[in-house]
Amino acid sequence: MYYIGLDAGSTTTKGVLFTETDYIDKYLLATAGDPKGAMATVIDYFTTHYGKADKIITTGYGRKLLPSDLAITEITCHGKGANYLHPGITQVVDIGGQDCKTIRLNGNGGVLDFNMNDRCAAGTGRFVEVMMRTLGEDIATLDTFIQGATPVQINSMCTVFAESEVVSRVAKGEKREDIALGVCHSIAKRINGQHAKLQAPKGEAVLFTGGLSQSELFGEVLAQYLAAPVYRDDLGQFAGAIGAAQIGLKKFSLQ
Amino acid sequence: MKVKTELPEIFEDFGEARQQGFLKVKSLKDQGQPVVGVYCTFMPEELVLAAGAVQISLCSTSDETIPAAEEDLPRNLCPLIKSSYGFGKTDKCPYFYFSDLVVGETTCDGKKKMYEYMSDFKPLYLMQLPNMRDNDRSQKLWYEEIKAFKEKLEDFFGVTITEAQIRDAIILKNRERQAKKDFYHLGQLNPPALSGAEIFKVMYGSQYKFDKAENIASLEAATNAVKERYANGEHLEKKPRILITGSPMGGVTEKVIRAVEENGGVVVGYENCTVAKAVERLVDEDETDVYKALSDKYIHIGCACMSDNHDRLDLISNMIDDYQVDGVLDMVLQNCTPFSVESRRIKNFCNDEKDTPYMYLETDYSESDIEQINTRVTAFLEMLEG
């Protein structure tokens, strides 16, 4: 049987395909203001290559936009997905386009506690994206851009004010890469505060997922603030979709 | 007095009580009945009853009047305070309009400072609530404040309040409390006998039934009707059982109840102002000093404006056990400092002492966060189901 885990995020829509035993394939595209269309595109991709899937499990903010066999929140899915990628992990930080989640797990993918910042762009992938654009760079080049830089201190946490701060620092002639690294530090600091609210044991290893987890250097900055080992995974951006597929195959394959 | 005896008419009757109360209060005023408007459950209603007046709960739960309030008050202030002030200032709350006297208490900082401005356009009396409750000096202060309030009522309405009248009022209010308790304790039934939305509707509406005898009879009818239905085997399916605690709830913030019940949970109990917080403990009818009886009762309301607030922990602890609670949801209004700071203690207490999952949910009087609330609450319910 084929299971599609489909994560309808604000910035990107992610899908993964599993059988009961194996990971088969993945697909990602920009949501671009049309979450329903993006979800359909992911399903079409898998249908074209592997035939019609038996079960579709949706998650993310668009989880109820398409009829599916099961819709589960991104919190639960990220917990299960993180445990699939890194069995036994107890801490998850997921930085997506629109929100940042910190989750405590029971060591078996079950959620013990969580919190979300979904009120404000500060502390999300969007914040980095906006600042990089202001600096004239693409977020995809983040690692090469900030390599070897010395971070400046960014004081504004509001995205709009931080943007003016970045502009004025550029005008003062500060190095753009130093400013970009400063932006990463300011977010990591804020996320450490959010994670601390979970009152997890200090120094416990964290799996870093979500779009921003593609940046190795950001992971290192995050590790400094969390004072804990931070693991990343090539499929980190797909953690929610993987969790959805895992929940689905557990539920439906037992029937 | 006509009391409805069938469900769901009883629920509808309570649901409409606040709206219908507008007309009732007008006719009471036309008959020369004095009216005292209040915002908070610390107010000893027994004294108002003993003075022959009616006490009503003033409007504070809609964002409609917040823009008007923000002309005078800071934007980043609790929405309940802004809404209360705005309703008064714009005269959009009939209950405020018909109140001869508004009585406030020095609960949180925002409220006590807001009352200073409110007194510019309304006769307002402020009771000094102590910040602590566990020492003789604080208890003495509150005792004296209760006595002073009695004198204020006598003076303001030109009446004499006797101890016998206070004693009668204590007995009547206790009967009303007991009728309320008997009703919301139905939430302890497992599987659930009724939804949390229904419990809240009745409890919220019962604040606006000014005829105490009628209110008691209606509450008893509701309790009996639900019990009868339950005895006939009618009940809701078993779902994760949620206890709501935190800032005052009502109006727009009932969105939190819906988020729980539309996403697979059931609200079985409320440790908040409208339900158990101010009702659970009765006034001691055997206490010879009526003022001491009243001050002892009201000072133990577990509001986060008190330090330290162990009374809240005690009530939450009992409710988790009595209602077989699976998860505690702490709803805190944005910029409500006392409840947001206290949340950490509540969380640790629930997790460590009661082994019960806890979630913190901050919201305001807008509808814009409903989807985020749905996601968080659903994730919490998924977590409870494992």
Side-chain angles (χ1 to χ4, degrees), chain B residues 225-242:
Chain B
V226 174
K227 277 185 176 165
E228 197 177 309
R229 195 172 66 174
Y230 199 67
N232 289 334
E234 280 184 59
H235 57 76
L236 308 181
E237 59 178 303
K238 283 199 171 207
K239 290 172 179 177
R241 299 166 67 83
I242 302 300

Side-chain angles (χ1 to χ4, degrees), chain B residues 22 28 72 91 115 119 149 151 161 175 177 190 200 267-268 280 304 309 319 334 352 364 384:
Chain B
F22 293 149
L28 288 173
D72 301 345
D91 235 343
Y115 289 135
S119 65
F149 177 53
E151 285 157 21
I161 299 174
R175 278 183 52 215
R177 283 190 189 100
N190 192 0
F200 195 83
V267 180
V268 292
E280 196 66 21
N309 192 19
M319 289 184 84
Q334 236 172 49
D352 302 342
D364 61 12
L384 298 180

Side-chain angles (χ1 to χ4, degrees), chain A residues 63-64 71-76 111-114 116-119 197-199, chain B residues 263 334 344 347-348 358-359 362-364 369 372 375-376 378-380 382-383:
Chain A
R63 66 187 175 279
K64 288 182 180 162
I72 303 283
T73 65
E74 49 269 42
I75 295 288
T76 305
V111 177
L112 291 178
D113 199 0
F114 67 92
M116 284 171 98
N117 157 31
D118 54 15
R119 281 270 169 130
K197 290 268 188 281
L198 298 179
Q199 299 176 30
Chain B
N263 290 297
Q334 236 172 49
R344 179 175 179 271
K347 175 181 183 170
N348 289 351
Y358 163 98
M359 96 169 277
E362 200 168 273
T363 188
D364 61 12
D369 61 355
Q372 283 100 324
T375 295
R376 285 171 196 225
T378 308
F380 185 60
E382 288 170 355
M383 177 180 130

Side-chain angles (χ1 to χ4, degrees), chain A residues 203-225:
Chain A
E204 220 166 73
V206 174
L207 183 69
F208 173 30
T209 61
L212 203 56
S213 73
Q214 295 166 91
S215 165
E216 186 184 346
L217 291 183
F218 189 90
E220 287 174 12
V221 174
L222 190 61
Q224 279 176 41
Y225 284 90

Side-chain angles (χ1 to χ4, degrees), chain B residues 153-167:
Chain B
L153 287 169
E154 289 181 321
D155 188 46
F156 191 84
F157 292 116
V159 295
T160 306
I161 299 174
T162 66
E163 284 197 18
Q165 285 169 323
I166 298 176
R167 203 168 289 286

